[in-house]
Amino acid sequence: MSANDAASELARLATVLATANRAYHTEDTPEISDAEYDALKQRNAAIEARFPELKRDDSPSEQVGAPVLDAFAKVTHAQRMMSLANAFDDADIAEFEAGIRRFLALDDDAPLAFTAEPKIDGLSLSLRYEKGVLVQAATRGDGTTGENVTANARTISDIPERIESEKEILEVRGEVYMSHADFAALNTAQETSGNKPFANPRNAAAGSLRQLDPAVTKARPLRFFAYAWGELSAPLATTQYDAIQRLGTLGFEVNPLTKRCTSQDDLVAHYRAIETDRANLGYDIDGVVYKVDALDLQRRLGFRSTTPRWAIAHKFPAETAWTTLEAIDIQVGRTGALSPVARLTPVTVGGVVVSNATLHNEDYIEGRDSKGAPIREGRDIRVGDRVQVYRAGDVIPKIKDVDLSYRKADSVPFKFPQVCPECGSAAIREEGDAVRRCTGGLICPAQAVEKMKHFVSRAAFDIEGLGAKQVEAFYLDDWIAEPADIFTLRERYGTGLRQLKNREGWGEKSADNLFTAIDEKRDIALSRFLFALGIRHVGEGASGLLATHFGTIEALLSAADRASALEGEAWEELLNIDGVGEVMARSLVTTLTQPAERASIDRLLEQVAPAPAEKPDVSDSAVAGKTLVFTGTLETMSRAEAKATAEALGAKVAGSVSKKTDLVIAGPGAGSKAAKAEALGIETIDEDAWRQLAGLDSP
Ligand code: IVH
């Protein structure tokens, strides 16, 4: 390689790796595999080693993560930014409406109106106006904390700097996007100037909004549709539809295809009309969003852990493409699951190049679903096959079908491994589990490293500068073997013979930043701490529930110890937590009481202090801290709504009456529970009294 070739290759690698970094860290949509990324990085390092004088100022070997991310200040949203549950067919929509009616105890023929509007494929943004002046713009981030992009948002012409509103506070939420025409022009300009074109308008919009220099954002043709709101000092209207119209009169762009619908048939007809018009809209949409129109009903329906009960996204069918299956690799996840990954001849699906796809599990490859019934009419999937790939929104690509007419005569069925490809331990399938799992536990390097990747992930410890790649590299070099080791990195590699700052890709500043970022996470919310442990079946929502219920890690660990026999009072208490089922409880208790796991958690607790969970301030409610039991038929609300209301007031809701019950709310037809309450001398009230107690009716 000549010096000239080396220089131009280093320039190319700098661009490719910067884009890959951005896609991975900032947009959470990796465009190349980890292996490809590592190979490019190695190639870059090898050329730099041969031609040190050609090392660039923006050399990829000096960079960790995406610089764009570090530059924006964090913003805590006054009200969480939620995402939406998805529906894929008419049956899902019927269930959406039925669920709402059940929750609200509305008869089938009681009127229930919705709005329907396009789901814009961009990125959401929250704009905060105080006394009519734009004071802050923040991205969604993890929903709780986003990035402050105010200077950039001010350059978007659809976003007014001032609005005619005397309201003290008005947070307007909506989607930043780029039109097809603007996207095409931008990409032509990118290519002319020697820059890499963007994969699709969504990536272009995201990349343009998250620029360090607002002048760059200003030069990018971004647009904004308003469709929701956050904190408000006074309501905008009494219906979703009117509130959106109000945002329109205030000077925001609102989508002209927003429609009020009074039946499911109406909704689906509007969905089909938008779908038909999709190609002519001039911007990308990926479905239609339905929202309950009456805002008082929205308030009663409330939220699940990350999505509102009153809205759903009816997605358009995914785009598909045919390509060749080159290989099937098996990846081992943090819970030991063996996941087959399809390696494909790269193909463009919905504007993105896809070279990997999930194959779910061995049954899926063999052409059976989890109950043993045939899928794809029983066609199995083999290496060398012509396969159909699809992508639904942001999710990982999947294999949908196989074309047997392309299959060679000498092809053989895929043999799913019976031992873990990473540690050689037996890989077994438990009854009723579609997944084969490695039994190696903590001795399996893949499980250990995946556990730590999960531990540092965004919704868990979210340590800046410590992503999946760094964790993997540290693990391979025996710098870390379990989460606790992350917190002793400074002690072990801050000074002395081997130092982080001397590692490839690190320097004095980045090493120092990492140590500081790690120290900042020694105090962490209990819910994040629990989620970070990566216990099977214990996701973000459940971690939140457990944190609020137990308050401290000590209380939870002690409850797990007392529940270790999977029976008795502590076990019952766990099962009584709304949202905690038997499968989750079992997984929680067995993991927390397993000696090696527990020792590892104890070592972690020497390093970090999970902050006791903050309970909502409901101390003045009449039922705060009490345990309630609902029984019999409630007439004005469903059991689910009663439970949600009680919990919002700081009460616990249990399924059965015991000595610990404080109050029983009994409707008509209450049977043995009411009798038991009487026998135990527990106060029992009717639904009217409950409504007054909960402040739903004035006395
Ligand atoms: S409403 C509380 N309406 O879709 C409900 N979201 O998949 C807030 N989106 O995070 C969302 N178009 O970024 C809503 N018309 C629309 C939308 C929309 C696009 C995005 C939004 C949200 C994501 C959820």
Side-chain angles (χ1 to χ4, degrees), residues 82 84 117-120 124 140 175 227 289 291 308 310:
M82 296 293 185
L84 292 168
E117 72 205 55
K119 183 169 188 299
I120 318 297
S124 49
R140 195 175 91 102
E175 202 85 351
Y227 54 65
V289 183
K291 298 172 184 166
W310 44 265

Side-chain angles (χ1 to χ4, degrees), residues 137-160:
T139 61
R140 195 175 91 102
D142 63 3
T144 307
T145 327
E147 289 163 340
N148 188 335
V149 291
T150 315
N152 294 350
R154 286 192 205 282
T155 69
I156 300 175
S157 58
D158 284 348
I159 296 180

Side-chain angles (χ1 to χ4, degrees), residues 363 370 428-437 536-537:
D363 289 346
S370 57
I428 58 161
R429 268 180 83 168
E430 278 175 21
E431 211 184 300
D433 193 352
V435 174
R436 188 171 288 280
R437 288 172 202 278
R536 204 171 145 212
H537 302 298

Side-chain angles (χ1 to χ4, degrees), residues 236-470:
L236 285 166
T238 58
T239 64
Q240 174 77 30
Y241 188 84
D242 292 345
I244 296 302
Q245 300 316 308
R246 174 95 186 99
L247 291 179
T249 45
L250 284 174
F252 294 93
E253 291 299 320
V254 294
N255 197 288
L257 294 170
T258 307
K259 186 177 176 223
R260 193 187 329 240
C261 296
T262 49
S263 71
Q264 235 180 86
D265 289 347
D266 249 16
L267 287 176
V268 175
H270 195 48
Y271 170 89
R272 305 259 180 261
I274 293 178
E275 189 179 24
T276 311
D277 214 21
R278 187 177 181 189
N280 306 318
L281 289 179
Y283 50 86
D284 277 351
I285 63 173
D286 58 349
V288 177
V289 183
Y290 305 148
K291 298 172 184 166
V292 168
D293 193 35
L295 298 184
D296 60 335
L297 296 186
Q298 286 191 5
R299 190 186 44 71
R300 279 176 61 192
L301 286 158
F303 298 87
R304 302 178 203 95
S305 63
T306 59
T307 58
R309 288 194 187 87
W310 44 265
I312 201 159
H314 191 177
K315 301 296 279 280
F316 292 133
E319 293 190 52
T320 67
W322 288 90
T323 187
T324 304
L325 175 60
E326 294 179 353
I328 298 177
D329 288 349
I330 303 291
Q331 285 179 349
V332 183
R334 73 184 149 83
T335 58
L338 266 50
S339 308
V341 179
R343 305 292 180 205
L344 306 163
T345 307
V347 61
T348 306
V349 192
V352 168
V353 179
V354 169
S355 43
N356 302 311
T358 173
L359 282 162
H360 306 285
N361 54 53
E362 58 193 288
D363 289 346
Y364 191 82
I365 297 177
E366 285 172 19
R368 279 182 280 109
D369 71 9
S370 57
K371 298 193 182 72
I375 45 174
R376 302 184 297 273
E377 295 167 340
R379 290 186 283 278
D380 70 330
I381 295 174
R382 303 182 184 182
V383 172
D385 273 349
R386 186 111 187 117
V387 290
Q388 189 182 26
V389 188
Y390 70 101
R391 264 182 83 238
D394 272 343
V395 295
I396 317 160
K398 297 179 179 157
I399 303 289
K400 189 172 179 183
D401 211 346
V402 46
D403 186 344
L404 294 187
S405 66
Y406 283 85
R407 186 173 281 174
K408 301 214 174 64
D410 60 355
S411 87
V412 286
F414 179 71
K415 264 216 183 80
F416 204 90
Q418 311 290 302
V419 295
C420 172
E422 300 287 342
C423 71
S425 305
I428 58 161
R429 268 180 83 168
E430 278 175 21
E431 211 184 300
D433 193 352
V435 174
R436 188 171 288 280
R437 288 172 202 278
C438 159
T439 52
L442 292 174
I443 67 143
C444 175
Q447 286 191 49
V449 82
E450 290 305 319
K451 257 188 145 113
M452 280 190 290
K453 283 187 196 168
H454 170 80
F455 184 86
V456 299
S457 68
R458 224 174 181 198
F461 267 68
D462 191 20
I463 297 173
E464 219 156 315
L466 191 61
K469 290 205 176 65
Q470 291 78 25

